[in-house]
């Protein structure tokens, strides 16, 4: 399965999800979590942060997100979490 970077229409395609996440973390601007102020890499890691560190209600309230937007991001997290090797990403990002 190919993985495409969806940040700002980037469209870069990768053979594995780990390469896509590393690309997002190293190529694109970091962003500030509007809930807690933490600076996080954009893309998957930003979504993962907000949905694991904060409640759904906080996300909706802070970002003005619709339930459709929440479901879309939760589905994306579920799809990626099912196959991602977070240790490989952490190792690559420490280089």
């Amino acid at each position: 399965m190919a993985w495409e970077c969806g940040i700002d229409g980037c469209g870069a395609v990768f053979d594995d999800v780990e390469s896509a996440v590393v690309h997002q973390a190293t190529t694109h601007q970091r962003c500030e979590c509007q809930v807690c102020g933490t600076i996080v890499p954009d893309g998957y890691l930003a979504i993962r942060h907000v949905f694991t560190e904060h409640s759904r209600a906080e996300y909706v309230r802070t970002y003005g997100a619709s339930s459709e937007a929440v479901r879309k991001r939760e589905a994306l997290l579920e799809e990626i979490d099912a196959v991602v090797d977070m240790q490989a990403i952490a190792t690559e990002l420490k280089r």
Side-chain angles (χ1 to χ4, degrees), residues 20-70:
V21 173
V22 168
H23 159 82
Q24 290 177 335
T26 58
T27 303
H28 295 283
Q29 295 267 347
R30 293 182 176 261
C31 55
E32 180 179 352
C33 173
Q34 297 302 304
V35 178
C36 69
T38 299
I39 304 299
V40 294
D42 202 355
Y44 167 75
L45 294 175
I47 295 169
R48 185 171 190 261
H49 166 82
V50 79
F51 280 95
T52 59
E53 299 296 322
H54 308 295
S55 71
R56 214 176 191 210
E58 287 175 309
Y59 176 75
V60 169
R61 189 171 42 253
T62 303
Y63 288 93
S66 67
S67 23
E68 180 182 334
V70 170

Side-chain angles (χ1 to χ4, degrees), residues 67-77:
S67 23
E68 180 182 334
V70 170
R71 282 191 300 276
K72 178 180 177 183
R73 283 161 181 78
E74 287 175 334
L76 179 66
L77 285 176

Side-chain angles (χ1 to χ4, degrees), residues 14 16 47 59 65 94:
F14 303 89
D16 57 83
I47 295 169
Y59 176 75
K94 286 180 184 176

